[in-house]
Every structure is written in C-alpha cells, then in structure tokens.
Amino acid sequence: MQCSWKSMMLLVLASIAIQYTAIRTFSTKPLSLLYSVGLAPRGHAVNCSLKDLTKLGQETIESSDQGCDETRTPFSPASTSDSSNVNKRTHILILATTRSGSSFVGQLFNQHPEVFYLFEPLYHVQLALLPRLSQSRNPAERRVMLGAARELLRSLYHCQLSSLENYIRPRPSNHTTDKLFRRGASRSLCTPPVCEASLGRETQSLVLTDEGECARRCGPLNITLATDTCRAKLHAAIKTVRIPQVSDLRALMEDPRLNLKVVQLVRDPRGILASRIETFRDTYRLWRLWRATGRRPHNLDLGQINTVCEDFLRSVSTGLARPAWLRGRYMLLRYEDLARFPLQKAKELYSFLGLDLDHSVEEWIINNTRGSSDLSSRQKFTTVRDSAANAENWRLKLSFDMVVYTQTACQPLLELLGYKRVFHPRELRNLSHSLVENRTFLPFL
C-alpha cells in the first residue's frame, strides 16, 4: 500500500512535533520518538530502519503491537522499584465515543471521594498536534495521535500532570493555567486543596451549580496542587472519546505498573447519530437538512457514522474474543442498560473494578437519573435527565430513511450488541416496544 507524499509529509512533521514534546517531558527515556508515536512498545529493544518506520506508518491500527525486529527485554529494576505501591491503585479508563453517555459514566467515578477523575485530557493532545484528526480515518494520521495519547495517559495515571503542560495552549506559566478543557467536570480540581488557594476556608462549603462556576470561583488551576491531590487519592479514572479501539491500549494494559482496567461504553449508533445532530449543529448540518427535507444531500459525509460503527465493531469484537492481555481488565457496558438500571449497573461496574460503591455515588445516581426529559433536551451536556426515557428517544428524532441507512451500514454491530432493526415507520415510533434486546455482557475475569 502506497501513501501520497502529502500523507508522508504530515506523518514526518507530526512525528517531529511529538518528538519535541516527548523529549521535554521524558528527557531521560531513550527512543522517545519511537515510543511517542507508538512504534515501539515498552519493554522491547528496537532495530528499525527508515524504511521500516515508513512501512509502520502505513499499517492499520490493528497491527499497532507489531513492528520491526524486536527482542523482548525485561523491565529494569529502576522501572519497577515503585510497582508495589502503584499496583495498589486501580486505574480506570472509560473508552467511548462522543454522545454515547460517557459523561454520565465518568460522573459515577467523579462522585467517589477516593477517585481522582479527569475529563478528556487527550483533547489537548489532539488540539496541539493535529486538530483535524478528530474526523480523520487515515491509519497513519490516527497512529500519530495515538502514540502521543498513550504516553500522556501513562504519565497521568502516575500523577505526572505536568506532562499536560506540553499540550495546553497557551503553555501554562509557573504550572498554572486557566485553559484546561472542562476543568469543572472534575470534583478533584474544584475542591480543596486545589481550589482553596483562591477561596481559603470558604471552599469547604462550596457547592458548584455548573462547570463554569469552578473556574470563576476557584481561579486558574495550579497543576502542582492538582498533582498532589492525584497522589493522595486511592484510584484514578480518565474518560476519553479519542481512543478508537481497545487494541490501541494494549501496551498500557500489559504494563505491570499501571493496573489499568477499561470500561468500554457502547450505544446504539442510531442514538449516537440523533444526539450528534442535535448537539453539533454545524458539523451535522447536512444530516439535519436530510431530516427536514426527506432528501439525502449528495455531499453528505456518511463516514461520520460509518467510522463509529467500524471502530465499535473492531473494538467490541476484540474485547468479546477475550484475549489473554484483557483478562480481568475489560468490561463492556451498554448505555441503554445503564440508563434503564443505573444503580444495578453501577454496582456491577464497581464490583468488576474491585471498588466499594460509596454512598455519595448512590445518592448522585438517584438525583441524576430522575430529571425531566425537557431539561435534557435543552441542556445538551447535562447529566441530569430521565435516563430511562432518554435511552431510546432517538426514535422520535430521526427520519425513517435515516434510520434505515444507519442500521444497514451498522448491521453487524447491531447484531453483536443486541440492538433490533426496524422495518416500518410505525415500528420506529412505537416506544412501547424496545429495540434493545435483553443481553448480559459479563466482565472478562
């Protein structure tokens, strides 16, 4: 397979950018360029020629754990000296796609007093390196993003939050920034001791009504204080929509220092499409035109939903195949099940992770799954909603033709996850008949 000169030039330039940031952050680590772009997994001695690297850049994401001639080498004593302490922590990654309910799942951990939670830190990697990668389906381009993302995740789980500074724009001054993406979504970053630098004792009774209030009342984020808070917590959780497939995380899953567990959140792609059309109005303008006129625009980007189904299918297929490297570290969670049975699924989730379900989490679930459907329709990023009613309300928002196209393009995924197809407009609108099959997806223990 041949790459165009433009793709090769993009890969080279992006690799140089990642090398620069990796050298600044991991100056003591050899082969920083190879590790940062994901060409060399940890614990390997690598012997690659330029021809090999070019070939690797053209390979698909599924082969990310294969590359040049390698020799397995053991971890050095220095790299494992603190593994006994680190392994006491449970590191959680919520793997999802946009508008699949991931913010809600993230809050199930954010509400726990002993969990340090970060909301979409990889946003800064994407924005700093190659912003257009958010919609990219080019394997070489996605590989560049994934290499940097893995390195940052590894650092964040070790509470090396200063690694984020290489990607935040403008760059933080004196380890302080007001540009962290949606800081207010993390309680740990909006409460003492991170917040009390600005509010003192008043913060003890601070109740935030929205994310924006955190920045207004707490002031710029002190990354050093945030780092200390991360280290003081028993566990850490990160939510991301910027890792396409669980196989992209294999190098992290096999790292004995991380004790990383992945919760893969999935949702009916028809529901994802309906939510994106309502939320990202400019990006999905042609979809709204199709819905309004009944005619599909000839220049409609069908890849916007096709990519979701392709990534979900590959990732879920990997997880359900139960490879040895995922044993005890992978759980599949359908958004619809969580919406209908939030407390039950939360208990199953915490049981899989080996954590105690704190009463504060239970209280949050009760208070945030009985909101009004009208509220959720007006506030697109809220987690307060009537979760059961929201699970399948996409059936009232998409035209029948749009549903037919989506379920045809995503048929293998629908069958794998237990989502029923519809064959008539009346069947689509009949909400008394659920399109979600009763299926049980047990964690891989």
Side-chain angles (χ1 to χ4, degrees):
M1 180 173 63
Q2 298 295 323
C3 286
S4 68
W5 69 269
K6 290 184 179 180
S7 296
M8 287 303 301
M9 183 62 70
L10 176 62
L11 181 62
V12 171
L13 292 176
S15 298
I16 292 173
I18 295 175
Q19 182 183 28
Y20 173 75
T21 57
I23 288 174
R24 291 180 64 103
T25 308
F26 310 106
S27 58
T28 61
K29 297 181 182 179
L31 299 174
S32 59
L33 173 59
L34 296 181
Y35 288 126
S36 63
V37 298
L39 299 181
R42 296 282 173 181
H44 286 62
V46 183
N47 180 22
C48 292
S49 66
L50 179 59
K51 180 179 180 181
D52 293 326
L53 296 183
T54 302
K55 180 180 179 182
L56 281 172
Q58 297 172 348
E59 291 177 350
T60 59
I61 295 173
E62 290 79 7
S63 61
S64 61
D65 293 317
Q66 301 175 357
C68 314
D69 296 335
E70 317 179 327
T71 303
R72 172 71 70 174
T73 58
F75 284 96
S76 65
S79 66
T80 58
S81 60
D82 61 346
S83 61
S84 59
N85 292 330
V86 173
N87 285 339
K88 294 178 181 179
R89 291 167 60 96
T90 297
H91 294 130
I92 306 155
L93 183 65
I94 304 164
L95 187 64
T97 190
T98 53
R99 309 310 298 172
S100 62
S102 58
S103 294
F104 181 87
V105 176
Q107 290 301 315
L108 297 182
F109 301 106
N110 189 36
Q111 300 303 317
H112 196 291
E114 290 300 335
V115 174
F116 182 82
Y117 174 69
L118 286 177
F119 180 99
E120 294 294 342
L122 299 186
Y123 165 85
H124 294 287
V125 177
Q126 175 187 304
L127 197 64
L129 296 181
L130 296 168
R132 73 185 189 88
L133 279 183
S134 59
Q135 298 297 330
S136 175
R137 293 181 288 278
N138 182 291
E141 292 179 342
R142 291 174 75 164
R143 191 180 186 86
V144 169
M145 170 71 182
L146 288 170
R150 280 191 293 264
E151 281 303 312
L152 182 58
L153 286 174
R154 192 190 306 273
S155 297
L156 295 179
Y157 281 125
H158 286 303
C159 293
Q160 298 168 354
L161 270 63
S162 60
S163 299
L164 262 173
E165 297 185 37
N166 293 306
Y167 301 104
I168 297 176
R169 300 292 183 269
R171 187 179 176 87
S173 175
N174 297 322
H175 306 294
T176 302
T177 181
D178 60 356
K179 300 299 182 183
L180 184 69
F181 180 61
R182 291 188 65 176
R183 167 195 176 181
S186 172
R187 287 172 56 91
S188 295
L189 302 182
C190 299
T191 52
V194 178
C195 191
E196 67 183 356
S198 297
L199 297 179
R201 298 184 182 276
E202 176 191 350
T203 312
Q204 300 294 338
S205 60
L206 178 63
V207 177
L208 302 177
T209 57
D210 59 64
E211 290 185 15
E213 189 173 359
C214 173
R216 291 192 298 269
R217 300 189 65 179
C218 296
L221 173 66
N222 186 312
I223 296 176
T224 301
L225 288 177
T227 297
D228 293 340
T229 297
C230 176
R231 291 171 177 163
K233 299 288 186 178
L234 295 180
H235 314 287
I238 293 176
K239 191 271 284 192
T240 184
V241 296
R242 291 169 171 83
I243 299 290
Q245 301 167 33
V246 70
S247 58
D248 299 319
L249 297 167
R250 180 168 180 175
L252 299 181
M253 305 291 286
E254 293 182 325
D255 188 337
R257 300 165 296 177
L258 282 185
N259 187 29
L260 179 61
K261 297 188 177 184
V262 171
V263 177
Q264 170 137 39
L265 177 67
V266 295
R267 184 183 184 183
D268 190 321
R270 296 166 294 188
I272 291 175
L273 176 60
S275 183
R276 288 185 177 183
I277 290 173
E278 296 296 325
T279 306
F280 310 121
R281 300 183 68 83
D282 290 338
T283 305
Y284 284 79
R285 178 179 58 84
L286 294 180
W287 288 90
R288 289 192 292 111
L289 183 62
W290 182 5
R291 183 177 62 183
T293 65
R295 297 180 180 179
R296 189 174 80 188
H298 70 279
N299 56 338
L300 179 68
D301 182 7
L302 297 173
Q304 289 173 314
I305 193 62
N306 290 356
T307 300
V308 171
C309 293
E310 291 169 3
D311 285 339
F312 266 170
L313 182 60
R314 291 173 180 170
S315 190
V316 172
S317 295
T318 298
L320 296 184
R322 301 198 164 193
W325 56 274
L326 278 182
R327 179 177 293 276
R329 302 184 180 279
Y330 179 83
M331 177 177 178
L332 179 67
L333 178 64
R334 291 191 304 187
Y335 164 75
E336 292 80 7
D337 294 333
L338 180 64
R340 293 183 298 174
F341 315 109
L343 192 55
Q344 173 188 334
K345 289 301 174 181
K347 291 178 180 179
E348 294 175 6
L349 183 59
Y350 267 74
S351 176
F352 159 69
L353 296 169
L355 276 61
D356 293 327
L357 185 65
D358 189 83
H359 73 277
S360 61
V361 180
E362 295 189 32
E363 182 178 354
W364 184 90
I365 291 173
I366 294 172
N367 292 336
N368 286 267
T369 57
R370 299 177 182 177
S372 99
S373 299
D374 179 63
L375 174 65
S376 64
S377 65
R378 288 185 283 107
Q379 299 181 16
K380 305 305 178 185
F381 295 100
T382 183
T383 55
V384 181
R385 62 186 73 230
D386 182 344
S387 61
N390 190 64
E392 294 188 64
N393 69 356
W394 60 265
R395 298 166 64 176
L396 304 177
K397 298 178 179 180
L398 296 180
S399 70
F400 180 68
D401 288 344
M402 296 170 72
V403 170
V404 169
Y405 170 79
T406 304
Q407 65 187 19
T408 301
C410 302
Q411 181 176 348
L413 178 67
L414 297 182
E415 293 177 352
L416 183 63
L417 294 177
Y419 297 124
K420 303 174 185 177
R421 291 186 293 164
V422 294
F423 300 96
H424 192 278
R426 286 197 301 272
E427 185 181 8
L428 173 64
R429 308 301 184 198
N430 182 12
L431 297 184
S432 63
H433 176 66
S434 175
L435 299 181
V436 182
E437 295 180 4
N438 291 323
R439 294 241 189 129
T440 300
F441 296 94
L442 298 176
F444 179 27
L445 303 177

